[in-house]
Structures are given as C-alpha cells and as structure tokens.
Amino acid sequence: MKIFGWAADNMGCGWYRVRMPLNELARRGHETMANTIMPDEWLDTCDVLLGQRICEPGPSTAWQRIAVHPKRPLMVFDIDDDLWEVDPRSPVSYAWFSRPDVQERLRRNITVADLVTVTTETLADKVRALNPNVVVIPNFVPQAMLDLEAPERTDQRVVIGWAGSDTHVMDFEEIGPQFARFLERNSAAMLHTIGGSRQAFQERFSWAKRVDRDQWTVEDWFDDLWEYYRALGRFDIATAPLTPHVFNRSKSWIKALEAAARGVPIVASDVGPYPDFVVHGETGFLLRAPHEWPTVLRDLVLDAGMRAEMGAAARDLATRNTIEGNGHLWEQALLSQLTGSRAAS
C-alpha cells in the first residue's frame, strides 16, 4: 500500500495515531508519509488517505472534494476523543469543539469516510451513529521505549508523577485536596508534574497553593517526545486521575501504558479506559473514591519492594502492547478495506 497520513498536529495525538503506525507500516514494506500538509503528488498517487480529526474549514473542504472524486483513495478518518462531549472546564478545547460549524464538519467528514478508526469501543459506539464502518485500534508504544535506561536521580524522595495538559487539570477537582494533604503529611514524597502548569492548578484550586514549592517539581511539555519518555522514568509512582465525565469514558489508556513501558506502577481512577488495562493490585491500583488515594500512595511510598514488583509486572504488560507487536491491526484494517473497495469497483 501507498499511504499518506494527514496528521492534525505534531504532538502526541499525531504521533500515536498517524506517525507511529505509519512508521511501523513502512517497516512492514509499505510506502508511507505523514505530515500536517498534504502534498498534491501524494493525493494523486496514494492508495490510502488517513485523515486525523479533520474539522478545520480548509482541510474539511479538501476532504469533501476528495470524497466526490471518481478516483479517490481509500479514505480513513481517525478520531481518538469524544469531541462532542468536551467539558466546559477545558475552556480552550470547549470553545473550539462546541462550535456548531466544527461539530457539523466533524459529522460530515466522518460520514463520507470509507472507514473510521478509533481507540476504544466506547468511542466506536458513539461514532457508529455517523458511520457504521468503525474499527477499534488501541494506542500502542514503540518497543524502544521499553529499553530506555532509568535517568540519574538527584533527590532521594519518592516521586509521584502526573503528565497531562491544562485540559486535564480538571481531573484533580475531587482528588486534589487529598494530594495536598498527603504531601503535607509525607515529607519523603514529592509531586512531579509534566505539562499542566503550576499556575493553571493554582488559579483553579485553593489546595494547589498549599503544596510547598520544594515538594512540587513542574516540567513543560517536551518538543522531543523521546525526552518526554525519558522524563517519565523519573517517576516512582505514576498517577492518572479521571473525573467521571462522559468525555473521559472514551479516553484511551495511553497514560497507563506509557508508565508501564517505563516500569512504573500507576494509581488511576477506576473510570473510562483504565479498568481495561491496569491490573488492580498487580500493575497498579484502580481507585473509585478520593479518600482512597492517600492510603494507596502512602503504601507505595513506604514499600519500595511493592513498587519494584508492580513496576516489573507493568513493564511485562507493556511488552504486549507495542506497535511492533500490534502493527498488524493497522495493516489488516487498511488492507481488508482496500481489497474490498477494489473488488467492488
């Protein structure tokens, strides 16, 4: 196959849903290219056009124009979030995706696609109302991520880590006070966040102002995704709180998988994707109530042996969730659809 991946961004979503799958398909012998801009020469010659989350006016016009061309390539629309249910507490995303014109473009672009790829069955159920031909392909990690060495440590405190953008700061609304109280009572632990700014936390939550700056390290997002992967290795315990909101039910388990690939046990909300990936009591913990967090975090902070055992089990789970071991899911989905469309024509 000759496949062009029309990525929506150069960040994590573009990596996991376009660039990394196409890199693996290239390794399997297919001709691939991924970019946020679609060159005419690829549009004229590709067998498959994989479009990610197309909803901007210009790309949508092009997508619809391609859809009516008699020699159009196989059109695959990828979406990895329930963009119809963005929470208003994520103001930037909500301001865009709640617009009626954006919603309409999403619906029209999904409808004309030959195939829609999504990350979870929950999201598939939502999308099937617009296009019945939906395939669930989870997010995976590159095998090389499992081989990264642990970074050198300059602080002997146990690092409790969280990674996410400001759009996920809302997930600390219920458990945040428990985090602050836990850190106040456990000087052997520290919080390390990647992505969400301290200012975003403090502007929204009073509890965030109580966390001592010496006990809370903040890093910005990395331009290099591999630097981000290396930074995750500084965590002793990863956390993935999720507010039980309809938007979060369709999220993927990627945060838990990233931690697992670095050999880090995770403490996650028993919400959305995490019960399908985290093995409670073996690779991490799944928690249903805010008051459970301090107890579990304290147990993990005090028991290095448990952290090591869970981290090893999590890493073993990650070995079964690499793109190299699962690239055939992308290959089969595209090849079977392409073969079927050619037979029909």
Side-chain angles (χ1 to χ4, degrees):
M1 292 180 289
K2 185 173 183 179
I3 312 162
F4 180 76
W6 196 0
D9 58 55
N10 291 312
M11 306 300 288
C13 289
W15 167 246
Y16 281 114
R17 300 307 296 175
V18 180
R19 287 178 171 82
M20 188 168 58
L22 263 59
N23 287 345
E24 173 59 19
L25 290 172
R27 191 181 72 85
R28 291 168 178 259
H30 304 283
E31 185 179 358
T32 71
M33 179 183 178
N35 206 326
T36 55
I37 299 173
M38 182 171 54
D40 289 339
E41 60 269 23
W42 272 81
L43 175 59
D44 292 339
T45 60
C46 68
D47 301 306
V48 179
L49 172 59
L50 172 63
Q52 182 194 25
R53 203 177 65 231
I54 296 172
C55 59
E56 296 273 1
S60 295
T61 298
W63 184 263
Q64 291 293 326
R65 187 173 64 248
I66 296 166
V68 297
H69 196 283
K71 295 184 179 180
R72 77 184 213 178
L74 181 76
M75 299 180 70
V76 182
F77 192 102
D78 184 81
I79 183 169
D80 64 349
D81 275 319
D82 185 349
L83 299 178
W84 299 273
E85 298 290 351
V86 176
D87 194 296
R89 288 171 292 182
S90 299
V92 176
S93 295
Y94 180 78
W96 172 252
F97 289 111
S98 65
R99 287 171 44 172
D101 60 320
V102 175
Q103 297 273 306
E104 179 59 23
R105 287 194 293 269
L106 274 171
R107 286 192 290 268
R108 292 180 65 233
N109 293 340
I110 289 173
T111 300
V112 300
D114 298 298
L115 174 69
V116 183
T117 51
V118 299
T119 46
T120 68
E121 188 59 43
T122 302
L123 185 54
D125 286 341
K126 186 71 172 281
V127 173
R128 286 190 184 105
L130 300 173
N131 190 320
N133 197 16
V134 182
V135 173
V136 177
I137 306 178
N139 284 327
F140 301 107
V141 292
Q143 174 65 41
M145 186 180 177
L146 281 77
D147 301 325
L148 293 175
E149 295 183 0
E152 292 186 11
R153 299 289 294 271
T154 58
D155 194 310
Q156 298 306 309
R157 288 177 293 182
V158 177
V159 177
I160 301 170
W162 174 83
S165 67
D166 284 351
T167 62
H168 280 283
V169 170
M170 71 174 194
D171 293 318
F172 279 85
E173 190 160 16
E174 292 185 353
I175 72 162
Q178 302 291 343
F179 259 79
R181 191 173 301 114
F182 171 81
L183 290 169
E184 288 172 341
R185 298 176 180 178
N186 292 271
S187 59
M190 64 177 295
L191 179 64
H192 185 158
T193 57
I194 299 175
S197 66
R198 191 194 311 266
Q199 181 179 356
F201 279 98
Q202 292 180 338
E203 286 178 351
R204 183 170 294 184
F205 306 123
S206 60
W207 62 262
K209 300 174 184 177
R210 304 201 324 260
V211 180
D212 193 295
R213 293 185 69 89
D214 183 58
Q215 213 173 357
W216 185 359
T217 302
V218 179
E219 282 189 286
D220 291 331
W221 280 116
F222 297 88
D223 293 332
D224 184 341
L225 195 64
W226 286 95
E227 287 302 312
Y228 165 68
Y229 288 158
R230 292 185 182 93
L232 292 178
R234 290 195 279 272
F235 294 179
D236 295 301
I237 305 163
T239 58
L242 270 187
T243 297
H245 183 274
V246 63
F247 174 78
N248 283 335
R249 293 178 196 150
S250 294
K251 297 295 292 182
S252 83
W253 58 43
I254 190 60
K255 293 304 175 186
L257 175 54
E258 289 174 343
R262 298 298 277 124
V264 179
I266 193 161
V267 182
S269 297
D270 193 6
V271 172
Y274 297 128
D276 293 327
F277 183 81
V278 179
V279 184
H280 181 72
E282 294 184 22
T283 66
F285 291 98
L286 295 166
L287 306 184
R288 296 184 177 180
H291 72 266
E292 296 177 298
W293 285 77
T295 300
V296 169
L297 290 175
R298 184 183 65 246
D299 290 345
L300 282 167
V301 166
L302 296 177
D303 194 335
M306 179 166 63
R307 295 198 306 269
E309 184 177 348
M310 283 189 161
R315 189 181 183 281
D316 182 64
L317 178 59
T319 64
R320 303 193 291 277
N321 287 274
T322 65
I323 189 62
E324 290 84 352
N326 294 276
H328 64 279
L329 296 177
W330 282 100
E331 190 173 45
Q332 289 171 359
L334 300 183
L335 273 175
S336 62
Q337 192 69 36
L338 187 61
T339 301
S341 65
R342 285 173 173 170
S345 62

